């Protein structure tokens, strides 16, 4: 596959990555070693704050770093602005994202706006924003993947991640399996629209999907080893986004479907669960091995039906029909005019997503 290489291509990557049990204790000295100042803002969510704020506080206090928490409940544009204003008042020298994808996205956004570095401390292996240079902020017309900076450091404590609800780790595997259709969509956009396609970034994203497929049984069992495996895959996919300079290797039609569900379903499921189900249906459209994808998701313990996802059939069909409009500039297998209601219903039925 040829690539268009004439554009200027700048790649920024994280500087330090620590993965292991109890590495949360090293947040303070990492900030010191990287010379990131002594005044931190920690962006986190209410559950994570309650469970783990002590651990982070102890690490920062040991390194004599002052800190303040900003608690966020979602990653909408409004929440991002509020967090930014709250953070700005403390004049931080560094921003720490401590939690799931939502907290890390807002932390990246706040750090970028304030012109300081961001340290990513994931408490769940549920998404591949852990290392990516993008902040996914939800606007009224759907999510916007804002190009920001990659985290300067990633500190992934596998003991915390293994203790998180098992659903989150499985969702992270779902976000990686989604690369199987994301890369197909990217290739298609290259062929039909002449879009830049980066073979290396695509291969790296696919490698992260193959990595979790290989360890499906271990991931289903959970525990520290499983957390380590999924975190490495998520970081690798984040690096693929750094190399591509876009979320293209990581996000295709299956993500558009999930974003559409987030916009219309009263109670959406986890990002990784939704994109995984999207991968089954989009793989069917691509004429690829969708039954194999479904088998792998079951093996990992991920939902493969609307019922298991906790979402009514009609929202699945509706999301399929509007997905192509979520990010119209992103060409995928859904094409420019998308799916009719009848076609969407048929695809969801054939793939067993709805009865
Ligand atoms: N920027 C990027 O490149 C990417 C961004 N994303 C974005 O990430 C988001 C999805 O992230 P996801 O993590 O699934 O969702 P959330 O950040 O909403 O986290 C899901 C839930 O898990 C909780 N949680 C996290 N860690 C723990 C823990 N250790 N113990 C108990 N509960 C925990 C959170 O608690 P709390 O309420 O405390 O937060 C929250 O309630 C989406 O918005 C998606 O768009 C996804 C992929 C890439
Ligand atoms: O979820 C992502 C990659 O896994 C980010 O992609 P989006 O560009 O679709 O927000
Ligand atoms: Zn994703």
């Amino acid at each position: 596959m040829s690539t268009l290489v004439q554009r200027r291509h700048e790649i920024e990557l994280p500087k330090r990555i620590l993965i292991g049990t109890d590495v949360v204790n090293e947040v303070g000295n990492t900030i010191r070693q990287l010379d990131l100042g002594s005044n931190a803002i920690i962006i986190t969510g209410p559950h994570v704050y309650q469970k783990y704020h002590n651990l982070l506080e102890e690490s920062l206090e040991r390194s004599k770093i002052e800190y303040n928490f900003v608690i966020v409940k979602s990653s909408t544009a409004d929440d991002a602005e509020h967090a930014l204003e709250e953070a700005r008042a403390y004049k931080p020298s560094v921003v720490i994202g401590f939690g799931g994808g939502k907290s890390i996205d807002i932390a990246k956004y706040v750090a970028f706006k304030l012109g300081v570095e961001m340290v990513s401390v994931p408490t769940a292996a549920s998404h591949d924003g852990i290392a990516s240079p993008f902040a996914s902020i939800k606007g009224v017309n759907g999510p916007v993947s804002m190009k920001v900076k990659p985290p300067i450091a990633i500190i992934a404590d596998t003991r915390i991640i293994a203790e998180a609800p098992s659903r989150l780790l499985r969702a992270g595997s779902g976000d990686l399996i989604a690369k199987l259709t994301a890369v197909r969509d990217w290739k298609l956009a290259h062929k039909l629209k002449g879009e830049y396609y980066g073979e290396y970034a695509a291969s790296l994203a696919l490698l992260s999907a193959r990595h979790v497929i290989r360890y499906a049984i271990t991931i289903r069992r959970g525990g520290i080893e499983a957390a380590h495996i999924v975190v490495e895959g998520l970081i690798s996919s984040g690096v693929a986004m750094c190399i591509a300079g876009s979320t293209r290797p990581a996000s295709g039609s299956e993500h558009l479907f999930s974003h559409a569900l987030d916009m219309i379903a009263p109670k959406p499921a986890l990002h990784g669960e939704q994109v995984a189900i999207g991968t089954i249906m989009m793989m069917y459209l691509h004429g690829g091995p969708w039954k194999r994808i479904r088998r792998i998701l079951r093996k990992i313990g991920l939902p493969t039906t609307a019922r298991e996802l906790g979402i009514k059939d009609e929202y699945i069909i509706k999301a399929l029909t509007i997905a192509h409009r979520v990010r119209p500039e992103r060409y995928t297998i859904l094409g420019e005019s998308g799916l009719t209601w009848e076609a969407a219903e048929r695809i969801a039925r054939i793939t067993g997503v709805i009865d």
Side-chain angles (χ1 to χ4, degrees), residues 126-129 174-176 178-179 241 250-251 254-255 259 271-272 275:
S126 47
H127 63 97
D128 60 0
D175 206 15
L176 293 180
K179 309 325 170 206
M241 291 187 251
S251 167
E254 72 303 313
H255 270 68
H259 296 324
H271 172 83
V275 300

Side-chain angles (χ1 to χ4, degrees), residues 19-344:
I19 310 173
T21 51
D22 306 318
V23 293
V24 70
N25 299 328
E26 296 182 45
V27 174
N29 57 23
T30 302
I31 288 176
R32 283 291 181 202
Q33 284 163 10
L34 295 177
D35 215 6
L36 301 176
S38 56
N39 183 12
I41 276 291
I42 305 156
I43 311 267
T44 190
H47 301 97
V48 170
Y49 176 81
Q50 207 181 13
K51 265 177 99 173
Y52 294 114
H53 69 100
N54 294 347
L55 290 179
L56 203 49
E57 285 172 0
E58 281 163 22
S59 172
L60 294 172
E61 281 166 18
R62 260 197 313 276
S63 296
K64 304 207 175 349
I65 293 169
E66 284 177 37
Y67 56 83
N68 286 283
F69 285 91
V70 172
I71 313 275
V72 292
K73 293 209 172 90
S74 67
S75 50
T76 63
D78 278 353
D79 287 310
E81 282 315 310
H82 284 132
L84 175 61
E85 287 324 307
E86 216 179 316
R88 196 193 298 279
Y90 294 112
K91 298 190 171 51
S93 58
V94 58
V95 176
I96 302 172
F98 185 49
K102 165 195 71 190
S103 302
I104 289 178
D105 275 335
I106 298 218
K108 281 183 200 163
Y109 174 80
V110 168
F112 183 71
K113 287 288 179 181
L114 296 179
V116 299
E117 298 290 352
M118 182 268 185
V119 175
S120 169
V121 186
T123 59
S126 47
H127 63 97
D128 60 0
I130 289 175
S132 83
F134 294 91
S136 187
I137 304 295
K138 319 280 181 244
V140 274
N141 298 319
V144 178
S145 241
M146 245 188 92
K147 180 92 173 15
V148 288
K149 278 180 70 160
I152 190 164
I154 298 151
I155 302 175
D157 191 314
T158 46
R159 193 185 304 282
I160 294 181
I161 291 168
E163 271 173 22
S166 56
R167 198 181 155 197
L168 292 168
L169 188 73
R170 293 173 186 179
S173 312
D175 206 15
L176 293 180
I177 287 165
K179 309 325 170 206
L180 298 176
T181 45
V183 168
R184 282 182 185 236
D185 282 323
W186 194 16
K187 258 186 200 160
L188 194 66
H190 172 62
K191 280 186 188 158
L192 298 181
K193 301 283 172 186
E195 194 181 304
Y196 164 78
Y197 174 80
E199 183 90 54
Y200 190 87
S203 303
L204 193 56
L206 289 177
L207 185 65
S208 70
R210 293 191 190 116
H211 181 64
V212 290
I213 292 170
R214 178 160 179 217
Y215 289 101
I217 298 288
T218 312
I219 294 167
R220 190 192 183 107
R221 277 200 300 264
I224 285 171
E225 189 192 353
H228 204 111
I229 289 166
V230 179
V231 165
E232 283 186 347
L234 294 169
I235 291 175
S236 162
S237 171
V239 169
M241 291 187 251
C242 291
I243 294 172
S246 85
T247 62
R248 259 301 192 180
S251 167
S253 48
E254 72 303 313
H255 270 68
L256 297 179
F257 162 74
S258 170
H259 296 324
L261 267 185
D262 285 340
M263 289 159 69
I264 59 167
K267 211 171 161 290
L270 289 172
H271 172 83
E273 295 172 335
Q274 294 183 166
V275 300
I277 287 208
T279 307
I280 302 176
M281 295 187 286
M282 300 310 157
M283 191 56 100
Y284 169 77
L285 282 181
H286 273 287
W290 64 272
K291 286 187 184 161
R292 177 168 175 259
I293 306 288
R294 190 171 63 175
R295 265 199 313 278
I296 292 162
L297 301 189
R298 286 185 181 143
K299 202 163 157 190
I300 292 175
L302 275 158
T304 60
T305 65
R307 191 170 302 116
E308 288 166 359
L309 205 55
I311 291 182
K312 286 201 177 120
D313 293 0
E314 68 215 60
Y315 294 116
I316 300 283
I317 301 169
K318 174 86 180 155
L320 285 170
T321 65
I322 63 168
H324 67 291
R325 292 207 298 264
V326 172
R327 196 174 279 165
E329 72 287 0
R330 181 155 293 193
Y331 189 81
T332 71
I333 193 73
L334 295 167
E336 271 144 7
S337 49
L339 301 174
T340 61
W341 185 275
E342 292 70 31

